């Protein structure tokens, strides 16, 4: 079977052939042999959106890697390790990768995992409407061939960098073909846990998959996610012994609980907080007005107030570990009201025009409310008077994902991987951008992403491609990064152990248990 979808051709440099057959699982699991099972009680601060693993929203992070498995995984140090794909071979011309799949895996519904299931998942991911966050990562995929039940080849539009290839394999959680059409309301994965119960807005109960393919996993028989309306309530539940773990709580509470003797686990996959700008609306159509915000963000104040100082100040959308990270931008675009005012004046907009917009705020998130108030104060000093538009829960998420805002704070992920993975986030998508529309209003950004994708191999000016992308990002200024922070912070009681550190800081329950 051969399936394809249209994608622009690319002129790429060649890399040597590479074959990967790795052993082991994701690093970070400790003392597993001594841990006991039981009921694991996890406090979370927001209800999930749906069960589709291709909708990579932070509210879905507690569930994705418990209900589903991806084709490969990354250890915390970035090493690629097998998961549903036991081996993979990149062709000598870097134009394809052939996957060897495990033969001992079944979906929760009892049907076997095979190459046809991978093909069905790829087809969904390649659909601009159904592929959600994975769609942009599929941009370099031309088509695929099912060789047999345990072998599938993915063909690229041209030679692709090794890391871009493994990033896609790591991002792709396989869905049971029989459940693809209903996956938003009913999970259809191979994961260590199956859905036991969901009470909207209250709790989600997962039960151990009795046929899970990883030996001696999962450890806990049952995982109960209880949804708390506020961080203080979740903290009180942990301190009273009513819950064992808080996942995704605030940095401020984590710092306090650590001082009280609780475990705080920080993973390798921070997010970057970004002031997202809808450059198709109002005064934000003006480039100089947008550029002023590079200087009007009090990044140190935002980090301190919103995240208790846990994280790094950044002026680009990269975590410090990213190869595209450039610390010089932090100094160049440091908070400077006077420079911001100069650009505001250069915009030619009147004070009334500059203030004719609202900042959408996630009223359910304490940190976002706090940092939005910091920005409101800073803008006021520059003569821009705005209101905060607080929305809650699903109402906010819907407005965020569909671009119904003038400006808003929203975190972006994948910032520690191949730089163009940033385009998996809605504001940075180069095509089918739900906020900025099609065609993309900033073609220079699209071209800069393409240049990074096509610059690799011996003698390639990789740094030049990264430098060009960074320059374009600050000049187009449709998204203004402020800081990195730890999404998926884990605060745990002393008797809980076995945490697996996921590269995206997703919660992985299968290795977690209770100390004797």
């Amino acid at each position: 079977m051969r399936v394809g979808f249209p994608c622009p051709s690319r002129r790429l440099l060649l890399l040597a052939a590479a074959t990967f057959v790795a052993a082991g699982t994701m690093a970070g699991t400790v003392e597993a042999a001594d841990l006991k099972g039981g009921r694991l009680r996890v406090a979370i601060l927001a209800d999930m959106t749906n069960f589709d693993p291709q909708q990579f929203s932070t509210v879905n992070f507690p569930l994705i890697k418990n209900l589903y498995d991806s084709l490969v995984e990354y250890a915390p140090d970035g090493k690629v390790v097998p998961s549903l794909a036991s081996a993979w071979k990149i062709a000598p011309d870097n134009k394809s990768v052939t996957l060897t799949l495990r033969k001992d895996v079944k979906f929760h519904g009892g049907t076997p995992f095979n190459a046809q299931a991978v093909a069905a998942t790829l087809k969904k991911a390649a659909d601009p409407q159904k592929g959600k966050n994975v769609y942009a990562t599929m941009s370099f995929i031309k088509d695929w061939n099912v060789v047999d039940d345990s072998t599938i080849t993915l063909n690229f539009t041209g030679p692709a960098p090794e890391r871009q290839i493994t990033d896609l394999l790591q991002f792709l959680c396989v869905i049971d073909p029989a459940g693809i059409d209903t996956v938003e309301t009913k999970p259809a994965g191979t994961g260590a846990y199956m859905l036991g119960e969901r009470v909207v807005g209250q709790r989600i109960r997962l039960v151990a998959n009795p046929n899970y393919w990883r030996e001696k996993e999962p450890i806990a028989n049952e995982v109960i996610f209880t949804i708390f309306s506020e961080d203080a309530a979740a903290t009180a539940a942990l301190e009273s012994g009513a819950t064992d773990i808080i996942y995704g709580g605030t940095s401020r509470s984590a710092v306090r609980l650590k001082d009280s003797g609780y475990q705080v686990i920080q993973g390798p996959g921070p997010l970057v907080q970004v002031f997202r700008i809808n450059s198709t609306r109002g005064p934000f159509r003006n480039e100089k007005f947008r550029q002023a915000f590079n200087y009007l963000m009090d990044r140190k104040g935002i980090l301190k107030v919103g995240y208790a100082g846990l994280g790094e100040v950044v002026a680009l959308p990269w975590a410090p570990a990213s190869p595209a990270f450039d610390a010089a931008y932090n100094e160049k675009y440091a908070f400077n009201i006077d420079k911001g005012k100069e650009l505001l004046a250069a915009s030619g907009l009147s004070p009334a025009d500059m203030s004719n917009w609202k900042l959408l705020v996630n009223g359910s998130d304490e940190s976002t409310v706090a940092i939005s108030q910091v920005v409101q104060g800073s803008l006021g000093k520059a003569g821009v008077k705005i209101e905060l538009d607080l929305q809650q829960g699903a109402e906010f998420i819907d407005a965020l994902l569909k671009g119904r805002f003038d400006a808003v704070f929203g975190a972006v992920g994948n910032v520690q991987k191949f730089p163009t993975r940033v385009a998996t986030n809605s504001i940075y998508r180069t095509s089918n951008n739900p906020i900025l529309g099609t065609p993309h209003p900033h073609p220079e950004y699209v071209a800069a992403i393409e240049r990074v994708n096509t610059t690799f191999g011996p003698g390639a000016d990789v740094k030049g491609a990264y430098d060009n992308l960074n320059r374009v990002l600050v000049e187009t200024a449709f998204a203004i990064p402020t800081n990195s922070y730890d999404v998926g912070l884990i605060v745990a009681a002393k008797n809980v152990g076995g945490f697996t550190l996921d590269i995206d800081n997703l919660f992985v329950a299968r290795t977690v248990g209770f100390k004797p």
Side-chain angles (χ1 to χ4, degrees):
M1 181 173 68
R2 184 179 180 90
V3 181
F5 67 99
C7 183
S9 62
R10 301 172 186 264
R11 181 181 57 84
L12 302 176
L13 301 173
L14 299 181
L15 285 177
T19 303
F20 302 90
V21 183
T25 59
M26 288 188 293
T29 304
V30 295
E31 55 194 15
D34 299 324
L35 295 173
K36 307 298 181 183
R39 174 182 293 173
L40 187 66
R41 302 165 301 170
V42 183
I44 56 177
L45 299 183
D47 199 358
M48 51 162 277
T49 302
N50 58 52
F51 295 108
D52 185 352
Q54 294 182 3
Q55 183 156 321
F56 211 70
S57 303
T58 54
V59 292
N60 292 342
F61 280 16
L63 299 178
I64 292 175
K65 284 298 175 72
N66 295 312
L67 296 170
Y68 299 89
D69 295 301
S70 56
L71 289 166
V72 303
E73 296 287 0
Y74 283 132
D77 61 0
K79 180 182 178 181
V80 192
V81 293
S83 185
L84 292 179
S86 58
W88 53 100
K89 182 178 181 180
I90 298 175
D93 60 4
N94 277 68
K95 291 184 178 181
S96 67
V97 61
T98 298
L99 310 179
T100 301
L101 308 176
R102 296 187 65 93
K103 300 178 181 180
D104 56 348
V105 180
K106 291 185 177 181
F107 289 101
H108 294 163
T111 58
F113 161 74
N114 53 30
Q116 287 78 13
V118 176
T121 300
L122 287 166
K123 182 179 179 181
K124 177 183 182 303
D127 187 311
Q129 301 303 318
K130 298 178 181 179
K132 307 292 178 64
N133 297 81
V134 182
Y135 173 75
T137 314
M138 290 283 292
S139 63
F140 71 105
I141 302 297
K142 178 184 177 183
D143 53 34
W144 47 88
N145 304 318
V146 172
V147 179
D148 55 42
D149 281 352
S150 60
T151 313
I152 186 170
T153 296
L154 281 62
N155 302 304
F156 313 142
T157 56
E162 174 188 321
R163 189 72 175 190
Q164 188 179 23
I165 298 167
T166 56
D167 274 357
L168 172 62
L169 302 182
Q170 182 268 340
F171 206 36
L172 205 68
C173 291
V174 184
I175 305 169
D176 186 345
I180 280 183
D181 291 339
T182 57
V183 72
E184 291 195 0
T185 57
K186 184 180 179 181
T190 63
Y193 290 94
M194 303 184 295
L195 179 65
E197 175 191 34
R198 182 192 181 194
V199 181
V200 176
Q202 297 183 37
R203 66 181 177 274
I204 302 163
R205 181 171 64 89
L206 304 183
V207 296
N209 178 359
N211 299 313
Y212 191 54
W213 56 275
R214 284 188 169 98
E215 188 177 355
K216 297 182 180 179
E217 295 179 9
I219 295 174
N221 311 86
E222 187 178 36
V223 182
I224 307 292
F225 293 98
T226 301
I227 301 159
F228 288 83
S229 60
E230 55 186 30
D231 186 62
T235 298
L238 180 64
E239 292 178 309
S240 69
T243 191
D244 306 302
I245 293 171
I246 300 174
Y247 172 77
T250 67
S251 301
R252 192 168 301 280
S253 291
V255 169
R256 185 182 67 78
L257 289 166
K258 184 177 182 180
D259 291 341
S260 298
Y262 288 88
Q263 303 179 75
V264 174
I265 293 92
Q266 295 176 259
L271 296 185
V272 166
Q273 187 63 276
V274 172
F275 184 76
R276 305 181 181 202
I277 292 173
N278 190 335
S279 59
T280 67
R281 286 191 175 194
F284 290 114
R285 296 186 182 97
N286 187 301
E287 185 178 70
K288 294 296 183 184
F289 182 70
R290 296 195 309 271
Q291 289 174 355
F293 286 81
N294 285 314
Y295 296 104
L296 295 177
M297 294 291 118
D298 182 3
R299 293 178 173 86
K300 291 182 180 179
I302 287 171
L303 183 61
K304 181 179 180 180
V305 170
Y307 307 101
L310 289 182
E312 302 284 342
V313 165
V314 294
L316 294 167
W318 321 117
S322 168
F325 180 79
D326 188 340
Y329 278 74
N330 295 343
E331 182 176 350
K332 183 176 181 180
Y333 294 99
F335 181 49
N336 190 317
I337 292 267
D338 290 337
K339 287 187 176 181
K341 284 182 175 180
E342 290 175 7
L343 285 164
L344 293 177
S347 73
L349 298 172
S350 69
D353 289 335
M354 291 189 291
S355 301
N356 189 26
W357 58 280
K358 293 182 179 181
L359 175 58
L360 176 66
V361 180
N362 182 1
S364 304
D365 183 74
E366 181 181 337
S367 294
T368 305
V369 172
I371 66 177
S372 297
Q373 291 169 338
V374 170
V375 170
Q376 184 184 37
S378 298
L379 294 181
K381 294 177 183 178
V384 180
K385 311 293 184 181
I386 64 165
E387 297 179 14
L388 304 184
D389 179 17
L390 272 72
Q391 296 188 20
Q392 308 286 331
E395 182 183 22
F396 170 80
I397 295 295
D398 190 58
L400 175 71
L401 295 179
K402 294 181 179 179
R404 293 201 296 264
F405 59 81
D406 298 311
V408 63
F409 273 104
V412 300
N414 295 312
V415 294
Q416 73 279 25
K417 299 177 184 175
F418 191 72
T420 60
R421 279 293 295 276
V422 75
T424 62
N425 299 281
S426 59
I427 188 64
Y428 287 109
R429 289 185 195 171
T430 55
S431 60
N432 295 98
N433 190 301
I435 299 164
L436 304 180
T438 302
H440 198 286
H442 306 292
E444 60 271 50
Y445 163 70
V446 177
I449 288 285
E450 176 72 2
R451 178 175 169 182
V452 170
N453 279 338
T454 57
T455 305
F456 66 97
D461 184 14
V462 174
K463 184 179 184 304
Y466 294 157
D467 289 344
N468 176 66
L469 175 58
N470 288 338
R471 177 187 57 80
V472 169
L473 285 170
V474 298
E475 289 180 356
T476 52
F478 60 84
I480 313 295
T482 59
N483 62 281
S484 68
Y485 72 96
D486 286 287
V487 67
L489 271 174
I490 295 173
V491 182
K494 294 179 181 179
N495 67 326
V496 181
F499 294 100
T500 289
L501 300 183
D502 177 75
I503 194 70
D504 297 307
N505 285 5
L506 275 63
F507 183 67
V508 180
R510 68 175 190 265
T511 58
V512 179
F514 297 95
K515 300 174 184 177

